[in-house]
Amino acid sequence: MKKKNIIYIGVAVAIGLLIGYFIFGGNSETTITDEHDHGTEAASGQMWTCSMHPQIMQLEPGSCPICGMDLIPADAAGEGLSHSQISMTTNAMTLAGVETVTVGKGGVSSGHVKLSGKVAVNQESDAVQSAYFNGRIERLNINYEGEEVKRGQQLATIYSPELVSAQQELLTAGKLKESQPQLYNAVRNKLKLWKLSESQINQIETSGKVVENFPVYANVSGVVSSIMVEEGDYVKTGSPLVKVANLNSVWAIFDAYENQLALFKKGQTLEVSTKSYPNEIFQATISFIDPLLNNSSRTLEVRAELDNKKGLLKPGMFVVGEIKAAETMTMDVVTVPESAVLWTGERSVVYVQPNPGESVFEMREVALGNLSNGSYPVVSGIEAGEEVVAKGTFTVDAAAQLQGKKSMMNKSGGATMTGHEGHGMKMDFSNAFETGFNEVMGSYLKLKDALVDSDMDGAKKWASKALQKVQNLKSMEMDKMGMTHVEKIEEYLSNISERSSIESQRKDFVLLSENMILIGNQLKGLDQKLYVQHCPMADNNKGANWISAEKEIRNPYYGEAMLTCGSIIDSISN
């Protein structure tokens, strides 16, 4: 009996152990698995990076310390997709706030349309001052483009051997005036053809002296738009010397799409506005509609004339023209929201979600009509019923750039960074901005020299001077990306002007230089050729760049300790 009890107890214990194994052993295994999953999740946590500076990697979203752009999820997905497609994780889409809408057909009122354009010189009032005789420019009285001149103002002085000979002929013919009047009149008329006035000719006869250097006077009043000669140049009869633009009247030039052609008529009135004068509305009249269509962009030029007697509108200034057609036409067309479109200046692109059930996006180039009520009519590129990204479009495009796919700034795909970050970017600045940035660059170079000399107070001084000039730049015409970089430059200059150690100044100088290089690479009107130099050991061995006016390496990050450490990696040409 006891033996049976022992057997029963043994069986019960075995069963208990077995049950315990399944209960606790299973739970223990589950716990281990859960711990493993959490560890994996922590190890593969979402990283955030900058599309323009992929060396930036951090665990949390925010803005890029170099250019200020929003960081995007660093997602390496996308294998097996076409070159124009990218994949984003659901988590990344949620964090980036990506939203899509279904494209549909709707009635678009084409009687109220906005056009983007630029102010240009009215070429009908653009006068070319030419040389009326052969000679050499002895003196040029015009110092710079943009200088204001008045009718009758002296522009230059020319020495002309031909004119000297003609004056000598006049003096000789004057003595034979009574016996050979025809010869005398022929010589005078010859001088008149060279634009010498009656009073000048009479002065030569009265004085009996030959004038070697003759002045050239402006025929019209206006602003010098182009200087075509320099002192010492030899010119021939008819050679252009300067262009003078009368800015009392200017043009506003717009690009209109072919499907909007019926809206525009010569003599029609436009209302023009600009960010520079948000409370001003300028009345313009359409004076020209290009008869030839641009085959690549499917656009044509619409030109309107603006009264500019107050001088508020400057050539190169961005403007918006609003037109109200005589009749409102409603067209049943495919439309996309304004927020869905990315513009490069030459192309417009959208991102389509081919399969709404998958987080895959495809870049499409589209041809659009003019903006109306917050939407663009689609000429070609997408069809009704397709899903397009309407919010977070720039984030999707930034992810495409990071993955080396086709994107807004990279038409063919592949790496966008060549030589130095910033060559693949495009920013739009006014001529006035370029002039102002030259002054900022001058102060930046002085700041760099102060850091080379480990002169903390000198660095503060030149940072403060540059900061004042940058604050003036902020009021000038530029696009959104340009403004972002200008604000970053302002931030780092302000930091340097307030730092209490040379080490912290040099740390800010790293990011200041990156933004200066990015803008410098976009400008054509720099005063001199500059060199982008690089030290691989700066910034805790991450490497850092700076701009120099000389080829010689003088390292601002280490000063005397490592004065010649570095190399030239790029140049910024004027």
Side-chain angles (χ1 to χ4, degrees):
M1 185 70 180
K2 287 182 179 180
K3 188 175 181 180
K4 287 183 178 179
N5 288 339
I6 291 171
I7 293 172
Y8 291 151
I9 292 170
V11 171
V13 171
I15 293 171
L17 289 172
L18 186 62
I19 294 171
Y21 172 79
F22 282 113
I23 295 174
F24 297 104
N27 288 345
S28 176
E29 186 177 335
T30 303
T31 303
I32 292 170
T33 303
D34 287 344
E35 288 176 358
H36 174 74
D37 288 346
H38 288 301
T40 302
E41 183 177 313
S44 61
Q46 180 68 63
M47 296 294 290
W48 295 78
T49 187
C50 174
S51 62
M52 293 299 174
H53 302 93
Q55 70 269 31
I56 300 298
M57 281 286 179
Q58 60 187 48
L59 291 170
E60 296 179 352
S63 60
C64 173
I66 295 176
C67 64
M69 291 174 59
D70 290 339
L71 297 181
I72 63 170
D75 182 20
E79 295 182 1
L81 302 177
S82 74
H83 211 43
S84 59
Q85 292 181 330
I86 66 161
S87 176
M88 296 178 67
T89 65
T90 304
N91 183 46
M93 288 176 58
T94 303
L95 291 171
V98 175
E99 296 180 7
T100 62
V101 297
T102 303
V103 174
K105 287 189 175 182
V108 177
S109 172
S110 58
H112 186 273
V113 177
K114 288 186 177 181
L115 302 171
S116 296
K118 280 187 177 183
V119 175
V121 171
N122 184 341
Q123 294 179 12
E124 293 177 351
S125 61
D126 198 10
V128 178
Q129 184 74 48
S130 302
Y132 298 116
F133 40 79
N134 298 339
R136 182 180 66 237
I137 305 292
E138 290 294 298
R139 179 177 176 80
L140 195 61
N141 298 77
I142 300 301
N143 299 312
Y144 55 89
E145 292 179 1
E147 184 175 349
E148 188 173 352
V149 298
K150 301 292 185 182
R151 180 184 175 89
Q153 178 179 332
Q154 186 172 338
L155 301 177
T157 303
I158 297 180
Y159 166 71
S160 173
E162 289 183 357
L163 197 53
V164 169
S165 298
Q167 292 177 78
Q168 291 171 341
E169 289 176 8
L170 174 66
L171 296 177
T172 301
K175 297 175 182 178
L176 304 173
K177 180 167 53 175
E178 298 297 332
S179 60
Q180 298 186 37
Q182 291 181 338
L183 174 63
Y184 171 73
N185 291 330
V187 172
R188 285 185 67 93
N189 288 334
K190 181 179 179 180
L191 291 173
K192 288 178 182 179
L193 291 174
W194 284 343
K195 297 298 181 180
L196 269 68
S197 65
E198 286 280 355
S199 61
Q200 286 177 312
I201 298 172
N202 292 336
Q203 178 63 32
I204 295 168
E205 280 194 86
T206 304
S207 66
K209 295 180 180 179
V210 173
V211 180
E212 293 187 350
N213 298 323
F214 265 84
V216 177
Y217 298 105
N219 292 331
V220 294
S221 299
V223 173
V224 175
S225 59
S226 180
I227 302 175
M228 302 177 184
V229 292
E230 296 180 358
E231 287 185 2
D233 286 353
Y234 282 86
V235 295
K236 293 184 177 181
T237 303
S239 297
L241 304 177
V242 296
K243 277 187 178 181
V244 179
N246 186 339
L247 298 183
N248 287 336
S249 172
V250 293
W251 285 342
I253 298 178
F254 306 96
D255 284 330
Y257 285 91
E258 59 179 317
N259 66 330
Q260 300 289 337
L261 182 57
L263 290 173
F264 306 106
K265 295 179 181 178
K266 192 173 180 180
Q268 200 169 12
T269 301
L270 277 171
E271 290 186 348
V272 177
S273 59
T274 175
K275 289 182 180 179
S276 302
Y277 308 103
N279 299 322
E280 291 269 359
I281 298 295
F282 303 90
Q283 298 296 321
T285 304
I286 294 178
S287 58
F288 175 78
I289 299 173
D290 198 334
L292 302 177
L293 188 72
N294 185 316
N295 289 327
S296 58
S297 63
R298 309 305 299 171
T299 62
L300 49 80
E301 180 181 303
V302 175
R303 193 166 69 213
E305 191 169 329
L306 288 143
D307 187 325
N308 191 38
K309 289 186 175 64
K310 294 182 180 179
L312 299 179
L313 299 172
K314 315 295 183 184
M317 184 180 286
F318 294 107
V319 292
V320 174
E322 188 171 330
I323 187 170
K324 296 177 182 178
E327 296 180 3
T328 298
M329 299 179 296
T330 301
M331 301 177 292
D332 191 27
V333 297
V334 176
T335 62
V336 292
E338 182 181 4
S339 60
V341 182
L342 298 175
W343 296 91
T344 69
E346 297 178 353
R347 301 181 299 135
S348 50
V349 301
V350 298
Y351 278 89
V352 175
Q353 191 175 20
N355 186 346
E358 298 178 4
S359 54
V360 174
F361 301 97
E362 178 179 304
M363 190 202 81
R364 297 265 190 91
E365 290 191 27
V366 291
L368 305 174
N370 295 306
L371 182 65
S372 177
N373 300 322
S375 296
Y376 288 102
V378 179
V379 178
S380 64
I382 51 178
E383 302 292 338
E386 291 192 284
E387 200 83 6
V388 299
V389 177
K391 187 177 179 182
T393 315
F394 189 81
T395 303
V396 176
D397 185 80
Q401 293 185 39
L402 193 62
Q403 295 179 27
K405 297 299 186 76
K406 287 184 178 181
S407 61
M408 174 177 66
M409 302 305 296
N410 191 9
K411 187 174 182 179
S412 57
T416 58
M417 300 299 170
T418 58
H420 181 270
E421 291 88 349
H423 287 294
M425 299 170 64
K426 182 70 177 76
M427 291 174 272
D428 207 345
F429 299 104
S430 65
N431 293 334
F433 180 94
E434 294 198 6
T435 302
F437 191 79
N438 270 311
E439 297 179 2
V440 176
M441 184 64 77
S443 296
Y444 166 91
L445 294 172
K446 295 287 187 182
L447 166 60
K448 183 265 298 181
D449 291 340
L451 294 176
V452 169
D453 296 334
S454 298
D455 179 3
M456 184 183 71
D457 291 334
K460 284 185 177 183
K461 169 188 170 183
W462 288 108
S464 297
K465 287 182 179 293
L467 183 60
Q468 293 174 0
K469 295 168 183 174
V470 168
Q471 288 166 347
N472 293 333
L473 289 182
K474 291 177 67 178
S475 63
M476 298 180 184
E477 200 77 33
M478 71 187 83
D479 60 15
K480 185 177 180 181
M481 184 176 289
M483 179 60 76
T484 298
H485 289 293
V486 170
E487 288 174 346
K488 281 292 175 183
I489 289 172
E490 179 184 37
E491 175 186 343
Y492 297 125
L493 285 171
S494 178
N495 290 347
I496 293 171
S497 68
E498 297 172 358
R499 297 298 188 192
S500 56
S501 71
I502 194 74
E503 290 78 14
S504 56
Q505 286 179 328
R506 284 168 171 160
K507 186 175 180 180
D508 285 308
F509 190 71
V510 173
L511 300 175
L512 169 65
S513 296
E514 290 297 327
N515 285 278
M516 290 291 292
I517 295 167
L518 284 167
I519 291 182
N521 275 320
Q522 304 295 316
L523 305 181
K524 297 179 180 178
L526 295 178
D527 289 340
Q528 58 185 320
K529 184 174 182 178
L530 301 170
Y531 301 94
V532 179
Q533 300 176 341
H534 176 79
C535 172
M537 299 179 64
D539 196 22
N540 296 322
N541 291 318
K542 296 177 186 175
N545 304 315
W546 71 92
I547 303 172
S548 175
E550 302 85 25
K551 290 184 177 181
E552 179 187 2
I553 301 296
R554 298 179 72 242
N555 194 315
Y557 298 113
Y558 291 103
E560 287 292 337
M562 298 175 64
L563 186 61
T564 59
C565 176
S567 60
I568 297 173
I569 61 169
D570 203 353
S571 65
I572 303 174
S573 299
N574 55 341

